[in-house]
Amino acid sequence: LAGLAAAADLRAPAVPLIAHDPYFSLWSFADRLADDTPRHWTGAAEPLGALVSIDGKTYRLMGREPREFPALPQTGVEVLPTRTIYHFRGGGVELALTFLSPALPQDLDVLSRPLTYLAWDARGAAHGFSIQIAAGPRLAVDHPDQRVTWSRYQLDGLGWTTTGIDHV
């Protein structure tokens, strides 16, 4: 029984956020997602953050910046084979933030896509709610001095950007 109790107290050294291959992976090395900047497995900080606004008050969900906003209290984290789910509660809202990398070996077309989906589910009484995800161009390069190119798109009310290495 002592061995089972010790196993229950184990803590992973890092939690996967985006995990495709050794060159493209981001992890949370902190106990809470808002306590530190997400990092590459080498320890290099990567620019990825999330803020949530509940009834006009802004909280950090991911990343330690901007520090002027308090972290929304994190109530748990689940690490599963293809996804990591963070749970938060505050401002009258329960929020789940899910990182999903569809690494399905039976579907090579899906497995070969370097995509991670970031989804959220908010529950609570009628509250004003919005979420902002920020990813810097540093995510697309190996060294900070490499040039990047980016594009912005809009389709049916959904906006997204792409970033990649500038090969010129």
Side-chain angles (χ1 to χ4, degrees):
L1 290 177
L4 291 176
D9 292 335
L10 288 177
R11 179 198 173 278
V15 174
L17 305 176
I18 298 172
H20 292 285
D21 61 50
Y23 302 104
F24 185 35
S25 64
L26 292 181
W27 301 76
S28 174
F29 286 59
D31 288 329
R32 289 178 298 274
L33 191 57
D35 285 353
D36 194 13
T37 302
R39 298 180 179 277
H40 185 263
W41 65 265
T42 61
E46 296 290 346
L48 187 63
L51 299 174
V52 64
S53 179
I54 304 169
D55 292 333
K57 183 167 181 175
T58 303
Y59 302 91
R60 281 181 297 112
L61 294 176
M62 176 171 44
R64 60 180 171 195
E65 301 292 334
R67 289 194 184 265
E68 64 265 22
F69 301 121
L72 191 68
Q74 181 179 314
T75 59
V77 62
E78 297 174 74
V79 180
L80 304 165
T82 60
R83 66 189 190 271
T84 298
I85 307 166
Y86 282 93
H87 299 276
F88 303 89
R89 182 179 297 130
V93 172
E94 290 186 27
L95 175 70
L97 187 61
T98 302
F99 295 83
L100 171 65
S101 295
L104 306 171
Q106 67 272 18
D107 189 338
L108 294 179
D109 288 335
V110 172
L111 181 63
S112 66
R113 294 179 197 149
L115 294 175
T116 292
Y117 299 94
L118 186 54
W120 58 90
D121 180 32
R123 297 168 191 248
H127 290 276
F129 177 86
S130 68
I131 192 165
Q132 297 176 26
I133 308 294
R138 171 77 174 89
L139 290 171
V141 298
D142 186 33
H143 302 287
D145 59 341
Q146 289 178 291
R147 292 176 49 132
V148 298
T149 184
W150 64 276
S151 300
R152 181 175 289 163
Y153 300 94
Q154 186 83 24
L155 180 65
D156 297 331
L158 177 65
W160 72 93
T161 59
T162 63
T163 304
I165 296 174
D166 185 354
H167 293 287
V168 177

